Amino acid sequence: MIYLNGKFLPMEQATVPVLDRGFIFGDGVYEVIPVYSRKPFRLSEHLSRLQHSLDGIRLQNPHTEAEWADLIERIIELNEGEDQYLYLHITRGVAKRDHAFPRAATPTVFMMSNPLLTPPGELLVSGVPAITAGDNRWGRCDIKAISLLPNILLRQLAVDAQATETILLRDGLLTEGAASNIFVVKNNLLLTPPKDHRILPGITYDVVLELAKAHGVPHAVRDVSESELRTAQEIMLTSSTKEVLPITRLDGQPVGNNGAPGPVFHQLNQLYQAYKQEVMRAHVPH
Ligand code: PMP
């Protein structure tokens, strides 16, 4: 069951007019919220980021936080599976095709749930391969925009190279993955680029940094150069659906000494899994 413009209905019955600006222009934003044991993870943070994205495209939020929380509770109830991932999608609505904002259009609001399939245990043991590519996206990567053509093309480069992710470089600096944030370990220090217009402010990124801080993992948030990436002891990606995943090959070369997941990954992954359990037990929509 999905949610579309005020109604819950089966996916097959859900349709959107062809003049929807999401279809015509990719004029909209989205969110992905993981659900563990039927509880949304870090809900208020996801809703704040949604507000940031909506502000970024100058679209009024069609719902209050409390309304979103209700809709999200309903969609979880209507779908099976303890662990789900929710996809929320808001476009500027249906209007005669014209680049400028329509004077009066009602936003299209769509929500669906899919099973949450986090990476299988073997991948946490072996790690995954990644490649690098130039970051040719626009200047507002902090907006979670549905117009994902650059990300799609960049991610397909990884698929073509039988890799899991494409790590992006802009002006000699690491930005992020095509669909993830990136952390490296260099001189035993966990490093990740700052949250600015060059990257999506990842919810998992925040959790990892909070855990590093709380548990004394030496870390710094600062620009990371291409050479630091290429000579890193460890590389890992973070996202809501992949959680914390070690990258053990970069452009065909082993990462670190032996191309195996390292101690900082192991510690952060353990902390992340423990934190998830704690949040689920606490019964608070977090
Ligand atoms: N950067 C990009 C470009 C993404 O698409 C994503 C989400 N898939 C992330 C980072 C990670 O964000 P989050 O931890 O909130 O899933």
Side-chain angles (χ1 to χ4, degrees), residues 136-148:
N136 56 11
R137 300 173 302 161
W138 67 327
R140 288 301 308 274
C141 296
D142 55 311
I143 297 173
K144 206 163 167 59
I146 60 169
S147 34
L148 284 172

Side-chain angles (χ1 to χ4, degrees), residues 30 46 49 137 144 151 176-181 200-205 238-241:
Y30 74 108
H46 279 281
R49 185 172 65 183
R137 300 173 302 161
K144 206 163 167 59
N151 303 65
E176 60 179 339
S180 61
N181 292 111
L200 186 81
I203 305 296
T204 323
Y205 166 110
T238 64
S239 83
S240 292
T241 52

Side-chain angles (χ1 to χ4, degrees), residues 217-237:
V217 179
H219 65 280
V221 175
R222 62 154 172 83
D223 283 345
V224 177
S225 70
E226 175 171 356
S227 75
E228 286 176 311
L229 171 72
R230 296 205 182 276
T231 57
Q233 294 160 283
E234 298 183 39
I235 305 177
M236 57 203 100
L237 66 78

Side-chain angles (χ1 to χ4, degrees), residues 68-78:
W68 279 118
D70 279 351
L71 292 172
I72 284 165
E73 201 177 306
R74 290 281 307 280
I75 195 107
I76 295 170
E77 273 168 19
L78 291 170

Side-chain angles (χ1 to χ4, degrees), residues 32-86:
V32 170
I33 307 175
V35 171
Y36 297 111
S37 301
R38 307 188 74 77
K39 296 186 200 80
F41 184 69
R42 293 235 152 178
L43 180 58
S44 64
E45 287 84 350
H46 279 281
L47 293 178
S48 304
R49 185 172 65 183
L50 178 64
Q51 186 63 55
H52 173 83
S53 296
L54 288 165
D55 292 344
I57 69 162
R58 296 166 57 188
L59 183 58
Q60 206 186 336
N61 197 330
H63 294 298
T64 63
E65 269 213 24
E67 286 167 356
W68 279 118
D70 279 351
L71 292 172
I72 284 165
E73 201 177 306
R74 290 281 307 280
I75 195 107
I76 295 170
E77 273 168 19
L78 291 170
N79 284 277
E80 285 173 8
E82 289 295 290
D83 296 349
Q84 306 178 14
Y85 85 81
L86 305 183

